[in-house]
Amino acid sequence: MLVTRPRPDAERFAEVLAERGHEVLIEPLFEVVNLEEAAGQIDLTGIQALLFTSANGVRAFCAAFAPRKPKDLELRVFAVGDASARTAVQCGFTSVESAEGDVTDLVALVRRQVDPTQGGLFHAAGSKVAGDLKGGLEAAGFAFRRAVLYETRALEALSEETQAAFKDGEIDAVTFFSPRTAKSFVRLAGAAGLGDYLEAAIAVCLSAAVRDEMASLRWKAVAVAARPTQAEVVALLEP
């Protein structure tokens, strides 16, 4: 299994796959870099809840916001998925809920459970934002504040190890967790001349949006998770 997620998410996901008997090769297509100016971007005045759309956002927030006041860790946290929620708990937050899906699910969860008259929402974001979290919540009357705390830098070329694994027919499946990652892979695979070798592998996609970025590639098969969660991706890899 080739895992394309950024570290350390790739390493944690690889552990999950290894526990199920899969041999894993990690090739992060993006490097996550926390921004030096992030601390100055965080203003929680009048904020009643924090929004995280990735585990990277949680880690960047926690890195920039230390030392924290104990009461800040009591703020309600709404995470897009279970991985983000687990990371928030590890960071020390005491009230964490997961939307178990995508940005649309996160918007729905917040609108169900949060009163917009009680304070604003703070989104810890990366330089690239997927979905319309801001629009979906502002339409419901929420005051929305976003800060860009990290950026992702694309890999310039696939490693020699990964290229050789494809050419030797050792890759059975490749997992993709974002449209941007899928788009980057299309570019890198083309540059490496791997087009024909992909026909022996399955592309395992978190969502239909991820799958759509693969339209120009020929795979053995393309599988899409029933819901955009890591658990559903793992389920696609089971015999």
Side-chain angles (χ1 to χ4, degrees), residues 63-230:
F65 202 50
R68 311 172 202 86
K69 299 176 183 178
K71 67 179 181 65
D72 291 326
L73 293 175
E74 297 174 2
L75 283 170
R76 298 179 73 183
V77 169
F78 294 90
V80 70
D82 292 346
S84 302
R86 283 194 300 271
T87 305
V89 171
Q90 292 165 0
C91 189
F93 290 101
T94 58
S95 177
V96 180
E97 294 193 54
S98 170
E100 300 181 346
D102 56 16
V103 168
T104 300
D105 297 309
L106 180 58
V107 169
L109 176 64
V110 174
R111 291 177 66 158
R112 285 197 307 270
Q113 299 201 14
V114 183
D115 182 351
T117 67
Q118 298 305 303
L121 306 172
F122 181 92
H123 177 210
S127 55
K128 301 292 184 180
V129 180
D132 190 12
L133 182 65
K134 182 177 185 291
L137 292 172
E138 287 186 338
F142 287 97
F144 185 92
R145 189 179 304 157
R146 171 180 286 149
V148 176
L149 305 183
Y150 70 95
E151 65 180 9
T152 51
R153 299 174 183 172
L155 197 68
E156 293 299 322
L158 292 174
S159 68
E160 292 183 4
E161 181 182 12
T162 293
Q163 293 185 46
F166 273 113
K167 292 176 180 179
D168 292 340
E170 297 176 352
I171 303 296
D172 296 310
V174 187
T175 59
F176 298 99
F177 278 76
S178 74
R180 190 178 178 211
T181 300
K183 185 176 182 179
S184 179
F185 181 85
V186 171
R187 174 178 61 83
L188 296 174
L194 297 179
D196 293 340
Y197 299 100
L198 302 181
E199 295 183 20
I202 298 171
V204 181
C205 305
L206 182 71
S207 66
V210 177
R211 176 201 60 202
D212 292 346
E213 291 293 345
M214 296 291 181
S216 64
L217 298 179
R218 299 187 304 275
W219 297 91
K220 178 180 180 180
V222 177
V224 179
R227 283 185 54 78
T229 66
Q230 177 175 293

